[in-house]
Amino acid sequence: MKKLGWFLLNLLIYLAIVALIVWGLPQFLSWKLGTQYPIAAITSGSMWPALKEDDIVLIKKIPKEEIKVGDIVVWTNDKGFTIHRVVKLNPNTLVTKGDANFAQDPPVKYEEIVGRTVYWKDSKPLRIPYFGYIAVISGKWRGGQK
Amino acid sequence: METDIQNKFSFGSWWGMLKKKEKILLTIGAIIFLVIFYIALDANKYPATVHAIAGEGKVGINPTTEVLDFGDLSPGTSAVRRVDIKNQTPIPMYIAVFRFGAVTDLMKLDKNFFVLRGGEEAKIEFTVYMPASAPIDKTLNGRVILFKIPGPWR
């Protein structure tokens, strides 16, 4: 009986840890970074070599005044989200471009900006390689795709 | 005395000391090890390389069959290399290609993780596209390993 009690207690602790990681971590990051979308998975090579396909980056909400040329920002659009580098700031819009792309993107309104990537050191974006693959696959499963 | 020690540590006596369950587990382990060893040994291994050059629309070709050499590419250009594989056995093979190194970030495959039936042939196309952010005058290297895993694949 005592053994069963220990087993159940251990199981409960493990489940609590898993729940904390799966549910609690995004909640914590969302609160800490001030955005509804604190984690982004990179699904294309348009920002190579700064960001690589299947990387995960953290996104921090920043006010319009703090956005600078050279920042890597995420914005919402019809396709979902795009993450590119700011190349020009206009009064009502900003212009971005993927590092690996030749053409600039159409101007983006400041209201569409979700946030900027969290920096590591020397203004390099903090990225976790390969973890984006897991996020993309789990996203597909949740969406009922294969 | 020496003979006693030799007998004690001979394979036969050691094997005899094992329980039936242990023998089964060891045999399965040995078979799995041999299969993995064979697959790793039989895999096709290709070094891959590409050199980024300045300019527009410039492509330099370095023909070779042993290396996936994409030559000199300027930003905006791409090169394709093909690998032909033929299954000369009657057993279906599962083909899995794994890529390592800096060049793999720029490399795309037209197919991967597929079954090649007995006697069938297939071509795998590797395409390297040099983006606008390519590091000029730098050579990007990598390695491509093509595993052929025999099995009752459908």
Side-chain angles (χ1 to χ4, degrees):
Chain A
M1 195 65 187
K2 205 175 172 183
K3 266 188 179 176
L4 183 72
W6 272 113
F7 172 76
L8 288 174
L9 185 70
N10 279 327
L11 189 72
L12 209 69
I13 291 168
Y14 286 131
L15 287 175
I17 291 168
V18 170
L20 202 72
I21 293 168
V22 172
W23 181 82
L25 187 66
Q27 293 293 322
F28 170 76
L29 288 172
S30 187
W31 166 75
K32 187 76 183 162
L33 301 171
T35 173
Q36 206 183 337
Y37 308 103
I39 304 169
I42 308 301
T43 55
S44 86
S46 67
M47 279 302 291
W48 185 88
L51 300 175
K52 296 177 181 177
E53 218 170 318
D54 298 333
D55 281 354
I56 268 191
V57 288
L58 298 179
I59 307 301
K60 186 184 180 183
K61 189 174 177 65
I62 54 162
K64 175 187 168 183
E65 304 77 47
E66 283 185 29
I67 299 173
K68 306 185 298 289
V69 169
D71 281 350
I72 300 173
V73 294
V74 178
W75 79 91
T76 51
N77 52 43
D78 298 339
K79 287 182 256 172
F81 297 93
T82 303
I83 182 163
H84 280 169
R85 197 181 293 278
V86 177
V87 291
K88 193 181 173 192
L89 293 168
N90 298 322
N92 298 318
T93 59
L94 54 82
V95 180
T96 60
K97 181 180 143 326
D99 286 358
N101 294 350
F102 287 91
Q104 293 179 349
D105 305 310
V108 180
K109 289 179 190 161
Y110 285 102
E111 302 88 76
E112 291 168 342
I113 300 291
V114 173
R116 186 192 67 195
T117 51
V118 171
Y119 292 140
W120 179 233
K121 53 181 182 181
D122 306 328
S123 298
K124 279 186 180 171
L126 172 69
R127 60 183 195 91
I128 308 163
Y130 307 114
F131 273 70
Y133 185 72
I134 301 165
V136 170
I137 293 289
S138 64
K140 276 183 183 173
W141 281 346
R142 279 201 303 272
Q145 295 171 17
K146 281 187 180 178
Chain B
M1 192 66 181
E2 269 180 25
T3 319
D4 279 354
I5 290 166
Q6 275 172 5
N7 283 342
K8 217 177 238 178
F9 289 98
S10 70
F11 179 78
S13 63
W14 172 78
W15 184 254
M17 273 162 30
L18 296 175
K19 290 174 190 165
K20 195 177 174 184
K21 207 192 242 178
E22 290 170 334
K23 282 180 186 171
I24 293 167
L25 278 173
L26 263 174
T27 309
I28 292 169
I31 291 167
I32 290 170
F33 172 77
L34 283 173
V35 168
I36 292 170
F37 187 72
Y38 166 76
I39 290 165
L41 210 68
D42 190 47
N44 296 12
K45 300 151 192 109
Y46 306 96
T49 185
V50 65
H51 182 69
I53 55 166
E56 279 179 34
K58 288 182 184 171
V59 179
I61 296 163
N62 306 324
T64 170
T65 53
E66 289 149 10
V67 179
L68 281 171
D69 189 342
F70 295 88
D72 303 330
L73 296 178
S74 67
T77 58
S78 62
V80 180
R81 295 284 175 272
R82 288 179 191 87
V83 168
D84 295 334
I85 40 171
K86 187 177 181 185
N87 183 1
Q88 289 173 318
T89 72
I91 307 160
M93 299 269 186
Y94 186 76
I95 307 297
V97 181
F98 291 93
R99 298 163 291 157
F100 308 93
V103 67
T104 59
D105 289 336
L106 311 175
M107 190 190 280
K108 297 263 183 254
L109 270 84
D110 69 332
K111 57 180 155 188
N112 198 1
F113 304 115
F114 62 96
V115 175
L116 192 66
R117 294 179 203 292
E120 271 185 2
E121 274 182 69
K123 275 185 180 139
I124 302 178
E125 274 190 8
F126 296 82
T127 307
V128 165
Y129 172 75
M130 197 56 76
S133 51
I136 302 302
D137 276 338
K138 198 175 169 189
T139 302
L140 302 171
N141 296 308
R143 206 159 178 82
V144 173
I145 304 177
L146 192 151
F147 290 102
K148 296 162 280 176
I149 307 160
W153 315 110
R154 291 184 175 206

